[in-house]
Amino acid sequence: MTDRPSRPVRVRFAPSPTGSLHIGGLRTALFNYLYARRHGGSFILRIEDTDQKRFDPTALQTLMEALQWAGLQWDEGPEVGGPYGPYVQSERLAIYQQWANWLVENGKAYKDFNANTRPADVPFDKEARKQAYREKAARNEPLTITPPSCRDLTPDEVAEREARGESYVIRFKMPQSGETIVQDYIRGEVRFDNQTQQDAILLKEDGYPTYHLAHVVDDYLMQISHVMRANEWLPSYPLHAQLWWAFGWEMPIYVHLPVMLNPNGKGKISKRNPPKDKFGNIIPVMVHDYIAAGYLPEAMVNFLTNIGWNFGDEREKFTQAEAIERFDLDRINEANSAYPVEKLQWLNGEYIREMEPLELAKRLKPVLEKAGYEVNADFLLKVVPLVQTRIKSLNDIIPMAGFLFREEFIPATADLLIQKKMDAAQTAMALQRSLEILSALKDFSTAALQEAIQPLTESLGLTNSQLFGVLRVAVTGQTISTPTFETMDILGQAVSIARLKQALETLRSSLEKPIPA
RNA sequence: GGCCCUAUCGUCUAGCGGCCUAGGAUGUCACCCUUUCAAGGUGAAGACACGGGUUCGAACCCCGUUAGGGCUACCA
């Protein structure tokens, strides 16, 4: 098989709007998008909102925001429209009902009136669910209501029960013997024994379709050429294939993508059990958390493209345009992968470092403003070179250089001011002498500061690290900060000197205090 | 429990029967640079899950075991 498509490429991303976009969903969308662009095809966004219980009115907007942030513009779908709309499934109910009835009329599906045999709610939690299945199996109880007794009702019986106003669902008549052989682009042929299959519900009691029906009908009507979806759908693929065959429609190519697992490889990455990094920090799962955390869309896209697929040439860093040029289905991995967050950190840092300072400033501005700082563009541009190699995410600028944008200054305590192998008296002396020099300075530029202060290390018998460290903490209030002289330059002479004096005061009062026992 | 998928350094991956004494990246560690933190430079440690086949030859093909993941809903 080759991934040269035999018909116009039309792929879709079909999320269920239950919240913000999941990071795994973004990757699925991305693979679809890359493939569409690679072959000059169309990328379609379809909203699968057929579960009224999980309806979230804000989700659609958030979802589209996330896709747009990542630069995945859809050619057809909500807002942009298209020739095969509507693209929201809840607006297509009549279509699904029509086709469900067509299946019934043609003997491929049937009305099931046994609403009272509906199984109790399946536990949502994965472990609990698994446990429930195990227990049922141990008691030799049927796991589900198979086979439903309405499968072989006569037309008269059906008409009679319908006339009585009994509610029903429409179930698919799955073949009860033989096997269903399906083709997955990545895995090849997969076989399922039909005896292990059940008659899935296509149309619910409320008239809404299930995913199974809706996606087949829509993919047909929208002329989808490739169904690229997460591999958790593989077990229901035989159902879907049988549906295509029952309708007599030409099937698209199905591509079951590997999924992303928690960083420790245990379980699918999920927001319900948020994964943690090695420091115990929660790793975001939703795209919006990454936006809020200051990740760059270009880094995110690069990162995600590298999981389950790789660029080749041993290149880790590439643009989306470059990825489009050589994206192919044949090199998609079949195995799931643990979510490698640390690579995202690294890549994000790489993108920050190679960015034009002006561009970085533009992206940093809203972050600072969100933190409550007023930002002068020229001033920010002076700060950018000092933070560019030091931040891995946009938000890192707050702890690193937030003090430059704050009105109020939080002075350091004496123990922070005192550097390694120094005492309070020595530190005070260093500050005193520095103050004398700096007060007299006419030129307060980085180079001049360096030149003026440097000789002091020798006369005080200190290392650069010690003396500059004292000044750093005095001026920034932090032990980790932007470089000392550059920072003083930006802060200006008056502010710098005021802070040095303040530090000196802190040390003097600590010297006067009796040493605690 | 049943069914399905998967298995190369900690992690993401290259490899598609001889180019493999298994390559890259990240992470880790060491050293250099150094004004803290970074960045940068140099280097090190680190993997074909296991057992059978097939073959002159196997990380690559087949079978089994083990492990992981998924599905088993009137959720997608």
Side-chain angles (χ1 to χ4, degrees):
Chain A
M1 235 181 342
T2 155
D3 84 338
R4 262 252 88 90
S6 57
R7 52 171 161 154
V9 169
R10 292 179 52 80
V11 295
R12 75 332 189 255
F13 176 56
S16 175
T18 54
S20 174
L21 184 58
H22 188 280
I23 189 77
L26 213 214
R27 202 201 41 158
T28 301
L30 180 62
F31 277 30
N32 274 281
Y33 178 84
L34 257 18
Y35 188 70
R37 291 291 170 266
R38 169 75 182 83
H39 294 286
S42 302
F43 174 63
I44 295 143
L45 176 62
R46 185 173 72 218
I47 305 303
E48 310 222 322
D49 57 343
T50 55
D51 185 5
Q52 289 180 294
K53 290 192 289 292
R54 296 207 295 170
F55 181 68
D56 175 352
T58 66
L60 177 57
Q61 202 53 45
T62 323
L63 198 106
M64 294 194 292
E65 230 173 70
L67 288 172
Q68 274 157 349
W69 173 78
L72 307 190
Q73 186 52 57
W74 50 99
D75 305 303
E76 296 171 30
E79 290 195 329
V80 303
Y84 302 94
Y87 294 89
V88 176
Q89 288 186 331
S90 60
E91 295 169 19
R92 302 169 61 83
L93 260 26
I95 300 173
Y96 310 121
Q97 287 161 4
Q98 176 200 325
W99 284 109
N101 284 323
W102 184 90
L103 286 172
V104 172
E105 283 155 21
N106 287 274
K108 319 258 189 196
Y110 60 94
K111 293 175 178 175
D112 177 7
F113 296 92
N114 292 329
N116 57 340
T117 59
R118 180 194 302 197
D121 279 342
V122 181
F124 195 92
D125 176 73
K126 195 188 88 170
E127 269 317 303
R129 195 166 61 234
K130 188 75 196 160
Q131 184 61 28
Y133 284 116
R134 248 198 304 269
E135 280 167 14
K136 279 188 189 173
R139 287 193 305 258
N140 215 2
E141 284 176 21
L143 266 18
T144 46
I145 42 164
T146 44
S149 54
C150 293
R151 182 171 172 133
D152 298 314
L153 250 39
T154 64
D156 285 348
E157 287 171 313
V158 172
E160 190 190 316
R161 296 182 72 163
E162 229 179 322
R164 275 207 302 263
E166 279 187 47
S167 58
Y168 61 85
V169 298
I170 291 181
R171 280 183 190 272
F172 185 62
K173 265 189 197 169
M174 197 67 182
Q176 291 175 312
S177 61
E179 52 179 11
T180 301
I181 303 170
V182 292
Q183 297 295 330
D184 172 68
Y185 190 87
I186 295 177
R187 287 148 236 277
E189 182 180 288
V190 185
R191 292 161 171 264
F192 295 85
D193 185 340
N194 289 336
Q195 288 185 52
T196 66
Q197 302 293 312
Q198 48 173 310
D199 290 352
I201 291 173
L202 303 178
L203 202 70
K204 311 176 204 176
E205 232 176 314
D206 61 8
Y208 277 66
T210 58
Y211 169 84
H212 310 299
L213 205 224
H215 102 271
V216 168
V217 168
D218 284 347
D219 285 345
Y220 166 67
L221 294 175
M222 296 180 183
Q223 298 188 27
I224 298 303
S225 63
H226 298 70
V227 175
M228 301 172 63
R229 43 140 64 157
N231 69 13
E232 63 216 38
W233 288 107
L234 198 51
S236 55
Y237 188 13
L239 198 215
H240 303 153
Q242 290 289 354
L243 266 169
W244 283 100
W245 297 332
F247 279 124
W249 296 333
E250 189 198 347
M251 246 172 108
I253 292 166
Y254 275 74
V255 187
H256 288 95
L257 269 16
V259 300
M260 295 194 294
L261 273 21
N262 275 318
N264 61 10
K266 301 279 179 207
K268 228 173 15 168
I269 184 164
S270 85
K271 61 181 163 182
R272 288 182 72 89
N273 293 315
K276 297 206 173 117
D277 67 14
K278 60 191 167 195
F279 305 111
N281 302 312
I282 287 179
I283 295 165
V285 174
M286 307 310 275
V287 174
H288 272 80
D289 295 330
Y290 285 93
I291 302 175
Y295 285 91
L296 305 173
E298 47 271 67
M300 182 57 94
V301 164
N302 189 157
F303 164 70
L304 253 21
T305 308
N306 256 334
I307 307 172
W309 185 80
N310 80 92
F311 191 79
D313 292 351
E314 303 196 326
R315 265 183 74 189
E316 299 280 327
K317 217 172 131 221
F318 47 83
T319 64
Q320 192 188 70
E322 289 172 317
I324 287 169
E325 275 177 46
R326 56 166 82 186
F327 187 77
D328 64 327
L329 264 26
D330 296 301
R331 292 223 325 289
I332 293 179
N333 250 337
E334 40 281 272
N336 295 339
S337 51
Y339 184 68
V341 241
E342 46 333 322
K343 275 203 161 183
L344 173 62
Q345 304 254 338
W346 163 73
L347 258 181
N348 207 58
E350 288 280 307
Y351 277 89
I352 285 176
R353 267 169 260 134
E354 72 165 24
M355 198 172 277
E356 288 298 323
L358 201 63
E359 175 65 20
L360 183 53
K362 209 179 94 193
R363 306 223 198 180
L364 251 12
K365 194 162 184 270
V367 172
L368 288 159
E369 284 169 345
K370 201 177 161 210
Y373 302 139
E374 217 170 285
V375 182
N376 172 286
D378 290 335
F379 182 75
L380 176 56
L381 208 50
K382 282 200 270 182
V383 177
V384 164
L386 309 192
V387 298
Q388 190 153 18
T389 60
R390 281 166 242 272
I391 56 176
K392 281 201 159 62
S393 80
L394 263 20
N395 288 17
D396 288 347
I397 193 175
I398 305 297
M400 176 66 67
F403 68 91
L404 286 169
F405 300 88
R406 266 193 293 268
E407 278 302 320
E408 83 283 22
F409 176 61
I410 304 156
T413 54
D415 61 313
L416 286 182
L417 284 162
I418 299 167
Q419 299 299 295
K420 268 186 205 138
K421 294 180 181 162
M422 289 177 76
D423 59 27
Q426 251 182 314
T427 307
M429 172 62 83
L431 278 168
Q432 177 66 52
R433 297 284 303 276
S434 300
L435 266 167
E436 287 161 15
I437 293 169
L438 295 174
S439 305
L441 224 51
K442 292 281 178 284
D443 178 1
F444 213 70
S445 68
T446 301
L449 284 161
Q450 168 92 32
E451 199 185 335
I453 291 292
Q454 187 66 65
L456 203 54
T457 55
E458 207 174 319
S459 62
L460 287 171
L462 296 174
T463 63
N464 284 354
S465 178
Q466 288 174 312
L467 178 59
F468 300 172
V470 173
L471 299 180
R472 167 198 321 287
V473 177
V475 164
T476 68
Q478 309 176 171
T479 53
I480 296 173
S481 77
T482 47
T484 303
F485 297 128
E486 282 85 342
T487 306
M488 286 167 75
D489 184 350
I490 284 180
L491 247 22
Q493 192 163 19
V495 172
S496 299
I497 284 173
R499 291 186 181 180
L500 289 172
K501 282 183 178 160
Q502 194 170 5
L504 192 55
E505 276 314 303
T506 304
L507 278 172
R508 285 198 175 130
S509 54
S510 86
L511 276 169
E512 282 157 18
K513 256 186 275 174
I515 296 155

